[in-house]
Short mmCIF file of all heavy atoms in Angstrom, two decimals:
data_model
loop_
_atom_site.label_atom_id
_atom_site.label_comp_id
_atom_site.label_asym_id
_atom_site.label_seq_id
_atom_site.Cartn_x
_atom_site.Cartn_y
_atom_site.Cartn_z
N ALA A 59 108.19 4.53 -136.18
CA ALA A 59 109.36 5.33 -136.54
C ALA A 59 109.22 6.77 -136.03
O ALA A 59 110.19 7.36 -135.53
CB ALA A 59 109.56 5.33 -138.05
N VAL A 60 108.03 7.32 -136.13
CA VAL A 60 107.79 8.67 -135.59
C VAL A 60 108.02 8.70 -134.09
O VAL A 60 108.63 9.63 -133.54
CB VAL A 60 106.37 9.14 -135.94
CG1 VAL A 60 105.99 10.38 -135.14
CG2 VAL A 60 106.25 9.45 -137.43
N SER A 61 107.55 7.65 -133.40
CA SER A 61 107.74 7.60 -131.95
C SER A 61 109.23 7.56 -131.59
O SER A 61 109.67 8.23 -130.65
CB SER A 61 107.02 6.38 -131.37
OG SER A 61 107.67 5.17 -131.73
N LEU A 62 110.01 6.78 -132.33
CA LEU A 62 111.44 6.72 -132.05
C LEU A 62 112.15 8.02 -132.40
O LEU A 62 113.08 8.44 -131.71
CB LEU A 62 112.07 5.56 -132.82
CG LEU A 62 113.57 5.34 -132.61
CD1 LEU A 62 113.89 5.09 -131.14
CD2 LEU A 62 114.07 4.18 -133.46
N ASN A 63 111.70 8.69 -133.46
CA ASN A 63 112.33 9.94 -133.85
C ASN A 63 112.08 11.03 -132.82
O ASN A 63 112.93 11.91 -132.63
CB ASN A 63 111.81 10.39 -135.22
CG ASN A 63 112.92 10.95 -136.10
OD1 ASN A 63 113.98 11.34 -135.61
ND2 ASN A 63 112.69 10.98 -137.40
N LEU A 64 110.94 11.01 -132.15
CA LEU A 64 110.71 11.96 -131.07
C LEU A 64 111.74 11.79 -129.97
O LEU A 64 112.24 12.78 -129.41
CB LEU A 64 109.31 11.77 -130.50
CG LEU A 64 108.14 12.36 -131.28
CD1 LEU A 64 106.81 11.97 -130.62
CD2 LEU A 64 108.25 13.88 -131.35
N LEU A 65 112.07 10.55 -129.66
CA LEU A 65 112.99 10.27 -128.56
C LEU A 65 114.45 10.46 -128.99
O LEU A 65 115.22 11.16 -128.31
CB LEU A 65 112.78 8.84 -128.07
CG LEU A 65 113.69 8.36 -126.94
CD1 LEU A 65 113.44 9.16 -125.67
CD2 LEU A 65 113.47 6.87 -126.68
N THR A 66 114.83 9.86 -130.12
CA THR A 66 116.23 9.87 -130.54
C THR A 66 116.56 11.08 -131.40
O THR A 66 117.57 11.74 -131.19
CB THR A 66 116.55 8.58 -131.30
OG1 THR A 66 116.28 7.46 -130.44
CG2 THR A 66 118.00 8.54 -131.73
N GLY A 67 115.73 11.35 -132.39
CA GLY A 67 116.01 12.46 -133.30
C GLY A 67 115.79 13.83 -132.68
O GLY A 67 116.56 14.75 -132.92
N MET A 68 114.74 13.95 -131.87
CA MET A 68 114.40 15.25 -131.28
C MET A 68 115.07 15.47 -129.93
O MET A 68 115.63 16.54 -129.66
CB MET A 68 112.89 15.38 -131.11
CG MET A 68 112.16 15.72 -132.39
SD MET A 68 112.57 17.37 -133.01
CE MET A 68 111.81 18.37 -131.73
N CYS A 69 115.02 14.45 -129.06
CA CYS A 69 115.54 14.62 -127.70
C CYS A 69 116.97 14.11 -127.55
O CYS A 69 117.60 14.36 -126.53
CB CYS A 69 114.61 13.92 -126.71
SG CYS A 69 114.82 14.43 -124.99
N GLY A 70 117.48 13.40 -128.55
CA GLY A 70 118.86 12.94 -128.50
C GLY A 70 119.10 11.76 -127.58
O GLY A 70 120.25 11.47 -127.23
N GLN A 71 118.03 11.02 -127.21
CA GLN A 71 118.17 9.87 -126.31
C GLN A 71 118.18 8.59 -127.14
O GLN A 71 117.13 8.14 -127.62
CB GLN A 71 117.03 9.84 -125.29
CG GLN A 71 116.86 11.13 -124.52
CD GLN A 71 118.12 11.55 -123.80
OE1 GLN A 71 118.62 10.84 -122.92
NE2 GLN A 71 118.65 12.71 -124.17
N MET A 72 119.33 8.02 -127.32
CA MET A 72 119.48 6.81 -128.15
C MET A 72 118.71 5.65 -127.54
O MET A 72 118.77 5.41 -126.32
CB MET A 72 120.95 6.45 -128.29
CG MET A 72 121.20 5.21 -129.12
SD MET A 72 120.65 5.38 -130.82
CE MET A 72 121.83 6.59 -131.42
#
Side-chain angles (χ1 to χ4, degrees):
V60 167
S61 71
L62 181 59
N63 221 340
L64 282 175
L65 179 64
T66 301
M68 282 293 292
C69 198
Q71 307 304 298
M72 179 63 69

